[in-house]
């Protein structure tokens, strides 16, 4: 066969595969080391399936990225798929008829039977139709500790928040920052949320967050939460970083003793080559009340008015929920999979703690599912003021009750 014929044959094969490959632009806010390693697994899987992932990473937190995503969808410049958190963030987009119905994909792949907990699929379901593919379970209620800071102090690694606070003076005296906290609204809000369950306990957390019981919200147990938040505020002095992963890096490099952060912090420890249990310790529920809220991420698909693109969107939705993708992505992301029928023997000690809590049913819905984005934004604004100033815990407590009373 002449060379030209071979080249023509080869180019025909290439063009055939590229013709079959549909490109989808996928937006997300996963730009830290661990997050990028994880989202690369999704892109790799989509490309290997014969389509093409065009990465649309948006730097900054979800609070920066979501307005951009929403304005592109409502402004007639939609992407192929986008990340949102489980909950109500895309509700108005769905109600405006801008998002693709995935119910046929869900039924063809038995999502109702395989996705666990079912609250994740419930959060994607509006008027009986399914509009998102859940990809992970993330829980914010973790305390991450540098083992080396405590070894160097000759102190035992704390086993809970109270022991952590008690160790702060010794940590400070050694020139370290007790609590690493990035200077973004959602991070102080996350810390506050984690302390609610840890300090007030699950029953009081449910009374306020699920039953909207304002008497409990205004009561002594929540006064203790705000007192603990004031303690944490003092422990965070000296953090002086912006992004959450910069705060995690302070713990990884043993400049800070601990950080309250979601289990996505695991991705950073992993990229840094640190070993759970050896180099760092993770305490779900801050070691006091080991319950995890089942927040996390899902992908939504704007309508594109293009049959080929829509077919590729549905292929991607199915792929994101598939067992192999779930293992490859969540092991890198530090999150838990959205299905129980996957082999996670490669999970590290911290992920195993999360899986055990999930299996034991020690879980609760995430704030993203319980409060409107508007209420969450007002609470975030209050938390920024509280953590950045010397606003008295009693005053912050009163203002918090006012905000959530009008959810
Ligand atoms: C959360 C998201 C996580 C993590 C975190 C920090 O909203 O669910 O996947 O990336 O933001 O960016």
């Amino acid at each position: 066969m002449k060379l030209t014929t071979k080249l023509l044959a080869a180019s025909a094969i290439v063009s055939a595969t590229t013709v079959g490959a549909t490109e989808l632009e996928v937006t997300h806010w996963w730009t830290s080391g661990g997050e990028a390693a994880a989202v690369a697994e999704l892109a790799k899987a989509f490309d290997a399936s014969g389509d093409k992932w065009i990465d649309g990473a948006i730097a900054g937190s979800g609070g920066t990225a979501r307005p951009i995503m929403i304005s592109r969808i409502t402004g007639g410049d939609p992407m192929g798929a986008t990340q949102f958190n489980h909950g109500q963030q895309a509700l108005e987009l769905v109600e405006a008829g801008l998002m693709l119905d995935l119910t046929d994909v869900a039924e063809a792949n038995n999502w109702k039977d395989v996705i666990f907990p079912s609250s994740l699929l419930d959060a994607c379901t509006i008027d009986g139709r399914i509009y998102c593919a859940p990809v992970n379970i993330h829980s914010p209620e973790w305390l991450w500790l540098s083992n080396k800071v405590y070894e160097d102090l000759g102190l035992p690694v704390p086993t809970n928040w109270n022991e952590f606070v008690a160790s702060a003076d010794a940590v400070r005296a050694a020139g370290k920052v007790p609590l690493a906290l990035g200077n973004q609204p959602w991070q102080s809000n996350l810390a506050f949320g984690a302390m609610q369950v840890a300090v007030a306990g699950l029953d009081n957390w449910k009374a306020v967050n699920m039953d909207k019981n304002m008497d409990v919200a205004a009561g002594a147990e929540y006064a203790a939460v705000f007192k603990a938040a004031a303690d944490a505020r003092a422990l965070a002095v000296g953090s002086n970083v912006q992004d959450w992963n910069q705060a995690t890096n302070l713990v990884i490099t043993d400049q800070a003793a601990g950080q309250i952060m979601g289990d996505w912090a695991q991705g950073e420890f992993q990229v840094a080559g640190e070993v759970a249990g050896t180099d760092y310790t993770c305490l779900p529920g801050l070691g006091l009340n080991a319950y995890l809220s089942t927040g996390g991420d899902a992908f939504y698909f704007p309508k594109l008015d293009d049959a080929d693109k829509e077919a590729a969107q549905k292929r991607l939705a199915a792929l994101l929920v598939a067992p192999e993708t779930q293992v490859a992505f969540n092991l890198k992301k530090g999150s838990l999979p959205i299905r129980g029928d996957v082999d996670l023997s490669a999970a590290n000690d911290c992920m195993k703690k999360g899986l055990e809590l999930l299996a034991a049913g020690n879980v609760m819905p995430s704030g993203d599912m319980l409060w409107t984005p508007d209420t969450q934004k007002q609470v975030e604004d209050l938390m920024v003021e509280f953590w950045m100033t010397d606003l008295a815990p009693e005053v912050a407590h009163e203002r918090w009750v006012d905000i959530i009373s009008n959810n």
Side-chain angles (χ1 to χ4, degrees):
M1 187 189 281
K2 285 185 183 169
L3 180 59
T4 44
T5 315
K6 277 183 182 175
L7 284 176
L8 280 173
S11 62
I13 291 166
V14 168
S15 59
T17 46
T18 46
V19 162
T22 303
E23 290 189 353
L24 284 183
E25 180 197 9
V26 185
T27 52
H28 57 84
W29 60 84
W30 293 328
T31 54
S32 76
E35 292 171 329
V39 74
E41 292 296 332
L42 300 181
K44 191 167 75 175
F46 193 48
D47 292 354
S49 74
D51 287 310
K52 185 74 186 127
W53 175 291
I54 305 296
D55 200 65
I58 302 172
S61 65
T64 312
R66 286 190 292 273
I68 296 170
M69 295 159 169
I70 291 168
S71 61
R72 280 194 54 187
I73 295 167
T74 55
D77 176 25
M79 63 297 289
T82 188
Q83 170 203 1
F84 281 115
N85 292 122
H86 298 312
Q88 304 177 22
Q89 290 170 2
L91 180 60
E92 291 178 6
L93 296 171
V94 170
E95 290 173 338
L98 296 171
M99 307 308 281
L100 185 62
D101 182 335
L102 301 171
T103 308
D104 55 343
V105 179
E107 287 169 352
N109 294 282
N110 298 319
W111 285 6
K112 274 201 187 324
D113 300 335
V114 298
I115 289 177
F116 177 82
S118 58
S119 57
L120 303 183
L121 198 58
D122 295 344
C124 291
T125 305
I126 294 155
D127 297 336
R129 309 299 291 176
I130 293 168
Y131 290 93
C132 66
V135 291
N136 65 16
I137 298 170
H138 267 315
S139 47
E141 302 85 6
W142 294 74
L143 180 61
W144 305 92
L145 300 169
S146 157
N147 290 4
K148 187 174 186 311
V149 165
Y150 289 95
E151 285 155 10
D152 291 353
L153 287 171
L155 290 174
V157 177
T159 63
N160 62 46
W161 173 254
N162 299 329
E163 291 175 12
F164 173 74
V165 173
S167 73
D169 288 347
V171 169
R172 249 317 165 218
K176 309 278 184 182
V177 175
L179 183 68
L181 179 74
N183 187 17
Q184 288 168 336
W186 68 274
Q187 293 184 54
S188 39
N189 198 44
L190 178 143
F192 173 68
M195 298 174 95
Q196 281 192 49
V197 183
V199 175
L202 183 68
D203 292 343
N204 290 310
W205 182 89
K206 282 184 171 177
V208 172
N209 289 276
M210 297 177 78
D211 307 336
K212 306 299 192 273
N213 182 326
M214 293 303 124
D215 292 335
V216 173
E221 293 82 5
Y222 269 80
V225 174
F226 277 87
K227 166 69 176 62
D231 291 343
R233 177 172 63 185
L235 301 186
V237 171
S239 275
N240 300 331
V241 289
Q242 188 69 16
D243 295 332
W244 69 270
N245 49 310
Q246 293 170 318
T248 310
N249 192 55
L250 291 178
V251 179
I252 290 171
T253 54
D254 311 313
Q255 298 173 68
Q259 179 190 24
I260 297 175
M261 186 43 65
D263 48 7
W264 50 86
Q266 286 226 69
E268 304 311 296
F269 286 100
Q270 284 187 88
V271 163
E274 296 226 323
V275 178
T278 306
D279 302 306
Y280 67 97
T281 296
C282 54
L283 299 177
L286 312 191
L288 291 175
N289 281 301
Y291 286 90
L292 299 178
S293 61
T294 48
D297 305 292
F299 278 89
Y300 290 77
F301 301 80
K303 286 179 181 170
L304 298 177
D305 197 18
D306 174 324
D308 288 343
K309 294 270 187 189
E310 180 174 310
Q313 287 175 306
K314 293 188 172 182
R315 290 195 292 269
L316 177 55
L319 184 71
L320 293 173
V321 173
E324 309 75 33
T325 321
Q326 277 293 303
V327 172
F329 169 70
N330 283 294
L331 284 179
K332 291 275 177 68
K333 191 71 173 66
S335 40
L336 302 180
I338 48 90
R339 55 191 298 164
D341 59 347
V342 291
D343 170 21
L344 277 173
S345 48
N348 68 19
D349 288 5
C350 292
M351 201 170 186
K352 286 196 171 96
K353 284 184 182 178
L355 287 167
E356 283 157 17
L357 290 172
L358 190 60
N362 286 22
V363 293
M364 49 203 193
S366 84
D368 288 329
M369 300 171 181
L370 297 168
W371 300 99
T372 63
D374 179 52
T375 296
Q376 291 189 78
K377 178 71 173 68
Q378 289 183 61
V379 171
E380 270 189 19
D381 293 345
L382 171 63
M383 287 300 137
V384 171
E385 184 184 347
F386 176 70
W387 286 75
M388 299 299 289
T389 68
D390 58 357
L391 183 66
E394 302 77 23
V395 174
H397 183 191
E398 209 172 300
R399 285 172 53 185
W400 174 71
V401 174
D402 287 345
I403 290 169
I404 64 173
S405 304
N406 299 303
N407 177 51

